[in-house]
Amino acid sequence: MSDHLAHLLPLEGLQGAGSGPLYLKLRQSLEEAIQSGRLNHGDALPPERDLAEYANISRVTVRKAVDDLVRDGLLVRRHGSGTFVVKPLARVQQSLSRLTSFTEDMARRGLTTRAQWIERGLFAASPDEMMTLGLPADALVARLGRLRIADDMPLAIERASISAEFLPDPMRITTSLYAELDKTRARPVRAVQRISACELKDPDATMLGVRSGSASLSIERISYLASGRVVEFTRSLYRGDAYDFVAELSLSDT
């Protein structure tokens, strides 16, 4: 364990390394390990007891340094599991004027995407789905719940509902929903999005690798075919520390 800690945190001389509180020196060492990549996103922080023994400081000092990094969003505590690294993300700007899928949007930025399935299958439509998609009471919907990941960083949770008429076999979806809908000429041509701020709660916060209560963007999207029929109803949660949504505005003639 000591060799592992020495690689992650070269803390020799911490006690005599200049002036200032010991917890700030430890905090700076931990932050530098995160920024340099010695501690990567999702890595478990060594137990506070081991850090205290290794650095020859009190557990109270270690706890204060860790608390600081948790407040700053670089670490997250997961009850019963430990403390984990949350590496800062380069913010993604997404235009509100283009109707694209997550896969297409990330591909334009040169990012490699993948998804972890939360839910996928055909289900009896809920009252919300029936009303939004314009379905009868006995209709089936395809539900696709996914954790969206770009370059190994979790960015968003998407939960989409599509009438089984347009997507009778949701198991066909491997990457892009819109690419699959395009094959049957059911890709939407316009959408209305409602964006609001919210706080992430578990288990969504845990899936996105941030602490419970972190800022998030909640987005509801209703997408339409050229005929005006609703084809997609999607509710998404985007990490507030990773996304900026951008809209271009122009002067109206009226």
Side-chain angles (χ1 to χ4, degrees):
M1 175 62 74
S2 59
D3 290 342
H4 176 63
L5 284 171
H7 170 70
L8 294 178
L9 304 169
L11 297 177
E12 296 86 349
L14 179 68
Q15 298 275 6
S19 59
L22 284 174
Y23 86 90
L24 283 180
K25 297 177 186 177
L26 178 59
R27 183 199 188 285
Q28 290 166 359
S29 294
L30 289 169
E31 185 173 2
E32 194 277 329
I34 294 171
Q35 300 289 1
S36 68
R38 293 197 304 276
L39 282 169
N40 290 307
H41 178 83
D43 285 351
L45 194 71
E48 292 177 3
R49 178 184 63 255
D50 293 342
L51 285 172
E53 180 179 344
Y54 167 66
N56 194 26
I57 55 180
S58 71
R59 290 185 66 175
V60 172
T61 299
V62 174
R63 173 62 62 90
K64 194 167 184 180
V66 171
D67 284 346
D68 259 22
L69 292 171
V70 169
R71 279 193 296 271
D72 287 350
L74 293 177
L75 296 175
V76 60
R77 286 192 176 96
R78 297 175 185 163
H79 183 67
S81 299
T83 303
F84 296 85
V85 174
V86 182
K87 196 167 183 179
L89 296 174
R91 297 186 71 86
V92 173
Q93 287 194 357
Q94 181 169 327
S95 172
L96 291 175
S97 60
R98 300 183 64 182
L99 182 55
T100 58
S101 69
F102 179 90
T103 303
E104 293 166 337
D105 197 47
M106 293 301 107
R108 285 199 302 273
R109 291 169 170 80
L111 302 178
T112 301
T113 63
R114 60 185 177 89
Q116 291 180 5
W117 288 103
I118 303 168
E119 181 180 49
R120 178 169 49 163
L122 291 176
F123 302 87
S126 69
D128 278 352
E129 290 167 333
M130 284 187 286
M131 182 176 65
T132 305
L133 295 172
L135 301 176
D138 59 349
L140 294 177
V141 296
R143 291 183 192 153
L144 305 171
R146 291 181 284 181
L147 174 65
R148 309 308 301 262
I149 301 167
D151 280 4
D152 293 325
M153 300 296 286
L155 293 181
I157 296 170
E158 292 181 350
R159 296 179 172 95
S161 299
I162 303 98
S163 169
E165 175 186 349
F166 300 118
L167 188 62
D169 182 10
M171 302 305 291
R172 293 202 314 249
I173 305 299
T174 56
T175 53
S176 172
L177 167 62
Y178 281 9
E180 189 64 34
L181 291 176
D182 204 20
K183 295 177 183 177
T184 57
R185 299 183 180 179
R187 178 173 177 141
V189 298
R190 68 180 183 90
V192 175
Q193 291 193 146
R194 183 185 299 274
I195 302 175
S196 59
C198 67
E199 291 185 352
L200 284 168
K201 305 299 182 185
D202 284 328
D204 291 336
T206 297
M207 283 192 287
L208 288 171
V210 298
R211 68 185 187 279
S212 181
S214 295
S216 169
L217 293 171
S218 173
I219 300 176
E220 284 193 359
R221 174 189 284 188
I222 301 175
S223 304
Y224 300 83
L225 300 176
S227 65
R229 184 172 175 185
V230 175
V231 64
E232 172 201 17
F233 176 38
T234 295
R235 285 163 287 196
S236 304
L237 291 171
Y238 285 79
R239 285 178 55 161
D241 62 345
Y243 262 85
D244 289 320
F245 287 88
V246 180
E248 181 178 346
L249 305 177
S250 60
L251 183 65
S252 173
D253 292 335
T254 59

